Amino acid sequence: MRTWEIQTIKESELKGTYDIGIVLGGMMSYDSQLDRLQFSKGVDRLLQAVQLYEDGIIKKILITSGSGSITYPELKESPLLKRYLQTINIPDKDIIIETESKNTRENALFSTPLIKKAAPGGRYLLITSAFHMRRSIGCFNRLGIKVTPYSADRYSGGPRRWAPDFLFIPNPEAFEAWNILIHEIIGYCVYKVMGYS
């Protein structure tokens, strides 16, 4: 995973401010009985965006995510995440949502008109999981949206550990990482063949 992931940089290494921080969805489910968002590991994407916004690095947050559910197509992620951002006092004027995308290609395709309207010719920071960044950059670049990557949700974060317990004791989380890696490499290859990235 370490070789595949696009490594992140320190916030201090970002040059200047960005007009829009583009956050790709896929980080939550919704419990309608409790009216509660249930966040998954991918929520680091949103948390990093909030920090960057609070620090004045990004001016606006664009969340791109529709519904990935076949049975509940009306349950769209970005409006729910917008509602969450409003509860932590992010002003409505600084939140943009794209509600129809179901995959990475559509994230880029459906976000492009919103980006061009909100900040034509601006600077854009792409915030998604490190393992997902290669395919995401390709999709946005293909549509003429030049983005700076800001990786979140890293599986291989931090320096390599050479401790015996890390090297020799089997870790079941490694199977999850392999599953994610294989899925992402196949997706990347398919997108290249299809001309999406």
Side-chain angles (χ1 to χ4, degrees):
M1 188 69 89
R2 186 176 298 272
T3 303
W4 178 258
E5 287 187 329
I6 299 292
Q7 294 304 309
T8 195
I9 58 174
K10 293 179 182 178
E11 185 180 306
S12 61
E13 295 177 71
L14 293 169
K15 307 249 188 301
T17 59
Y18 292 80
D19 297 285
I20 301 175
I22 306 163
V23 181
L24 275 61
M27 65 188 77
M28 51 140 288
S29 59
Y30 176 66
D31 185 328
S32 58
Q33 290 181 328
L34 297 175
D35 187 27
R36 181 182 297 168
L37 303 183
Q38 297 183 158
F39 292 109
S40 64
K41 186 176 185 295
V43 76
D44 189 47
R45 303 172 183 187
L46 188 65
L47 297 177
Q48 296 296 331
V50 169
Q51 185 67 55
L52 291 162
Y53 175 84
E54 294 293 339
D55 292 343
I57 302 295
I58 58 176
K59 297 176 184 175
K60 294 184 183 296
I61 299 172
L62 185 154
I63 303 169
T64 171
S65 184
S67 172
S69 172
I70 296 171
T71 51
Y72 300 102
E74 74 285 351
L75 188 60
K76 299 181 179 187
E77 185 177 34
S78 57
L80 293 167
L81 291 173
K82 178 179 180 177
R83 189 175 78 176
Y84 170 75
L85 290 179
Q86 290 168 326
T87 68
I88 60 169
N89 300 317
I90 306 289
D92 189 61
K93 68 180 179 63
D94 292 338
I95 307 168
I96 305 166
I97 59 170
E98 179 284 306
T99 63
E100 301 306 316
S101 58
K102 298 177 183 65
N103 56 49
T104 308
R105 176 177 182 260
E106 290 183 357
N107 288 147
L109 191 64
F110 300 157
S111 294
T112 294
L114 300 174
I115 292 166
K116 289 182 175 178
K117 180 180 178 184
R123 299 183 74 220
Y124 316 116
L125 194 65
L126 182 61
I127 307 163
T128 190
S129 300
F131 68 83
H132 187 234
M133 188 60 81
R134 289 179 193 274
R135 185 158 46 130
S136 303
I137 291 170
C139 289
F140 280 91
N141 284 350
R142 182 77 171 180
L143 295 169
I145 303 295
K146 300 302 177 198
V147 294
T148 299
Y150 193 81
S151 295
D153 181 26
R154 297 175 299 148
Y155 278 81
S156 61
R160 188 177 296 278
R161 295 185 294 179
W162 299 102
D165 60 332
F166 184 76
L167 292 172
F168 301 113
I169 298 175
N171 183 346
E173 292 176 6
F175 291 108
E176 177 191 3
W178 272 107
N179 182 46
I180 290 168
L181 179 60
I182 291 166
H183 172 87
E184 194 58 32
I185 290 173
I186 290 170
Y188 179 83
C189 293
V190 169
Y191 271 42
K192 281 289 186 190
V193 170
M194 296 297 290
Y196 296 162
S197 65

